[in-house]
């Protein structure tokens, strides 16, 4: 997955959440997941190193409460938030944009999966008894194999391009010109096939 937070933005988000109330690491992970509507939930390997860094910088403290480690913001952490209020506002705006982008990606993936499922079901319904949808009626086995290879190549290409575009969108470098060039290039490729 492409980075959801730009450099330093997770740090500010963690400080902002801890400014509301002390939390343990899992609560922070869940709270971040809720902010992204479940479309993105950071891993422990992403959050805990940031918390350790914030602690080493004196911006948060941690106390052990039974089996949980609870993090709380310090006065220095609050001062950091106050000093970077404009940056935090930009982070919040970026989170909203990332949520929309992730939701659009999920919608597109679900839509593509449904179209593929419908096509598979239609092919299966048309296949004679004993023949699978993977072996279409009028397509020789070699053609079916080639078709599967092309479909896998298209799926891999689509996944990589989506990751690249998400990364650019997160960084604010995805332009209408890029979208137009991609759309035109794909249409030219489709016509050439």
């Amino acid at each position: 997955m492409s980075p959801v937070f730009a450099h330093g933005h997770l740090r500010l988000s963690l400080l902002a959440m801890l400014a509301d109330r002390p939390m343990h690491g899992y609560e922070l992970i869940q709270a971040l997941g809720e902010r992204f509507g479940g479309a993105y939930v950071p891993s422990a390997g992403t959050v805990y190193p940031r918390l350790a860094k914030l602690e080493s910088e004196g911006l948060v403290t941690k106390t052990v409460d039974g089996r949980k480690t609870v993090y709380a913001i310090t006065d220095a952490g609050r001062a950091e938030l106050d000093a970077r209020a404009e940056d935090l506002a930009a982070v919040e705006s970026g989170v909203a944009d990332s949520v929309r982008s992730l939701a659009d990606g999920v919608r597109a993936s679900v839509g593509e999966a449904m179209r593929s499922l419908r096509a598979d079901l239609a092919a299966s319904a048309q296949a004679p008894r004993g023949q699978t949808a993977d072996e279409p009626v009028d397509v020789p086995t070699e053609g079916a194999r080639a078709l599967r290879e092309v479909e896998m190549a298209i799926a891999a290409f689509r996944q990589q391009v989506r990751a690249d575009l998400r990364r650019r969108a997160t960084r604010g470098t995805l332009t209408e010109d890029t979208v137009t060039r991609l759309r035109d290039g794909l249409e030219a490729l489709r016509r050439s096939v």
Side-chain angles (χ1 to χ4, degrees):
M1 169 177 269
S2 62
V4 173
F5 288 101
H7 180 71
H9 289 184
L10 178 57
R11 163 195 180 95
L12 284 173
S13 293
L14 291 170
L15 285 173
M17 288 188 296
L18 291 172
D20 291 337
R21 68 181 175 86
M23 291 188 235
H24 58 81
Y26 183 72
E27 283 179 297
L28 289 164
I29 291 169
Q30 292 303 105
L32 284 166
E34 287 172 13
R35 290 178 71 198
F36 284 91
Y40 167 75
V41 179
S43 68
T46 299
V47 171
Y48 285 105
R50 299 299 190 302
L51 289 169
K53 180 108 170 87
L54 290 170
E55 182 188 16
S56 73
E57 294 173 1
L59 302 177
V60 302
T61 60
K62 70 177 181 182
T63 55
V64 178
D65 180 20
R67 294 188 326 179
K68 296 179 183 176
T69 301
V70 178
Y71 296 87
I73 194 167
T74 64
D75 289 339
R78 289 185 193 285
E80 170 96 6
L81 275 180
D82 289 343
R84 299 193 57 202
E86 286 182 23
D87 293 339
L88 182 59
V91 168
E92 294 298 324
S93 175
V95 166
D97 291 343
S98 290
V99 168
R100 277 191 294 278
S101 176
L102 289 168
D104 289 346
V106 168
R107 265 193 298 281
S109 293
V110 168
E112 182 63 32
M114 290 303 295
R115 283 188 290 280
S116 178
L117 178 60
R118 280 190 213 106
D120 289 348
L121 289 172
S124 178
Q126 293 175 357
R129 282 187 195 263
Q131 187 172 7
T132 67
D134 288 339
E135 300 173 41
V137 177
D138 296 320
V139 179
T141 304
E142 185 176 320
R145 191 174 318 119
L147 179 61
R148 279 193 300 274
E149 286 181 33
V150 167
E151 287 174 344
M152 288 187 329
I154 290 171
F157 173 80
R158 181 176 181 270
Q159 183 178 12
Q160 184 58 53
V161 168
R162 288 182 70 218
D164 293 343
L165 292 173
R166 282 187 194 134
R167 201 171 7 266
R168 289 187 68 181
T170 300
R171 292 179 182 149
T173 60
L174 181 59
T175 65
E176 283 299 319
D177 180 54
T178 302
V179 173
T180 301
R181 283 187 296 124
L182 181 61
R183 187 179 296 129
D184 292 348
L186 288 171
E187 180 57 27
L189 180 60
R190 187 194 63 76
R191 282 192 306 260
S192 74
V193 173

